[in-house]
Amino acid sequence: MARGNEQRGEGGQRRGRDRNAPQEERADSDIVEKLVHINRVAATVKGGRRFSFAALMVVGDQKGRVGFGHGKAREVPEAIRKATEEAKKSMIRVPLRESRTLHHDGNGRWGAGKVMVRAAPAGTGVIAGGPMRAVLETLGVQDVVGKSVGSSNPYNMVRATFQALKAQSSPRQVANKRGKKVADVLGRKADGAPVATDGE
């Protein structure tokens, strides 16, 4: 079936490549795309039921920017394309510590979806499952612990994860907000150990 799509004009070739190509080849200017969930939905019309597909996509540059989008169409490739375009328009920037983990723990909630994310030491890896893992991997986090304690609905989980990520702030942002120097903010640490301040 995919072979037929590839032989069917320019639009058919694009749909055939999108469905079968690995994510590295589908990345546009270092943006990685992940398909989180696809659902078949039906609308009851006068002549019967009309089926279409809804896709949930997550995109990110693996350097601190991530976004998600939802698209619906009569065909799966078109739904994925719409969701990807919406995700690229709604990307947010999240400050990362040492370009590998979060600056602090956080909680997010959307509807019945509740998630917790925790910063982790080097070598931990991404300990999260399902939609949370897709968001954190496209964001570029290498060491993090995530836990979903609410609904397993992928839409609510993704939105709750974004709420937790939006609440992240770096020492530099906190210092600017308080009108202090970064060293003054980090000086509150009990052990006095230096802490990385990279990440806007």
Side-chain angles (χ1 to χ4, degrees), residues 36 55-56 58 68-71 86 92 107-115 131-132 135 153-166:
V36 177
L56 177 62
V58 174
F68 75 97
H70 171 254
E86 182 180 324
I92 62 171
N107 297 310
R109 178 169 183 169
W110 188 278
K114 302 176 189 176
V115 301
M132 282 189 69
V135 174
N153 183 306
Y155 291 89
N156 285 347
M157 286 182 65
V158 167
R159 289 187 170 99
T161 305
F162 270 78
Q163 289 295 318
L165 294 176
K166 287 178 182 178

Side-chain angles (χ1 to χ4, degrees), residues 11-28:
Q13 289 181 0
R14 185 170 60 250
R15 286 195 296 270
R17 281 200 305 268
D18 285 349
R19 177 177 293 185
N20 298 322
Q23 291 180 353
E24 289 77 18
E25 293 180 6
R26 291 174 54 190
D28 298 331

Side-chain angles (χ1 to χ4, degrees), residues 29-32 59-66 91-100 135-142 199-200:
S29 65
D30 296 332
I31 291 183
V32 177
V59 303
D61 61 359
Q62 295 185 326
K63 298 176 183 177
R65 294 178 64 224
V66 67
M91 293 180 73
I92 62 171
R93 180 169 291 281
V94 180
L96 299 179
R97 187 174 71 191
E98 301 172 2
S99 299
R100 64 167 185 83
V135 174
L136 295 171
E137 285 181 346
T138 53
L139 174 63
V141 180
Q142 300 172 14
E200 293 298 327

